């Protein structure tokens, strides 16, 4: 199957913002990882897909630099059951 990552970037008021500099990384069940290039699909909305055919857990990490230079990082995961 395929995994689909959707990133919605908004400011504190919920308005869409540019997140074209965000990086996406997926940790695969076999211990390897893959970097994804997100494509903009709408205002403040980005997507990328990857192969998710291996059984086990996948961890998706999104990283971006904030305007003040700090790193913003968020991770989430899912599993393909055995």
């Amino acid at each position: 199957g395929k995994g689909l990552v959707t990133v919605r970037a908004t400011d504190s008021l919920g308005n869409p913002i540019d997140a074209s500099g965000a990086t996406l990384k997926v940790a695969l069940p076999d211990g390897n990882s893959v970097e994804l290039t997100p494509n903009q699909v709408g205002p403040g909305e980005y997507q990328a897909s990857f192969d998710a055919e291996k059984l086990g857990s996948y961890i998706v990490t999104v990283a971006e630099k904030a305007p003040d230079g700090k790193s913003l990082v968020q991770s989430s995961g899912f599993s393909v059951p055995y």
Side-chain angles (χ1 to χ4, degrees):
K2 288 278 192 187
L4 178 65
V5 178
T6 301
V7 176
R8 290 184 182 91
T10 60
D11 64 15
S12 61
L13 299 175
N15 298 310
I17 59 173
D18 178 34
S20 57
T23 59
L24 304 175
K25 191 173 193 177
V26 180
L28 305 173
D30 62 7
N32 291 315
S33 63
V34 60
E35 290 193 26
L36 307 176
T37 302
N39 296 307
Q40 187 168 11
V41 295
E45 189 169 346
Y46 301 82
Q47 290 184 339
S49 63
F50 61 96
D51 290 327
E53 297 182 4
K54 297 175 182 162
L55 301 177
S57 296
Y58 293 77
I59 305 296
V60 179
T61 302
V62 180
E64 183 181 25
K65 292 280 186 195
D68 62 5
K70 294 181 182 177
S71 291
L72 304 172
V73 180
Q74 186 165 1
S75 295
S76 186
F78 69 94
S79 293
V80 175
Y82 295 95

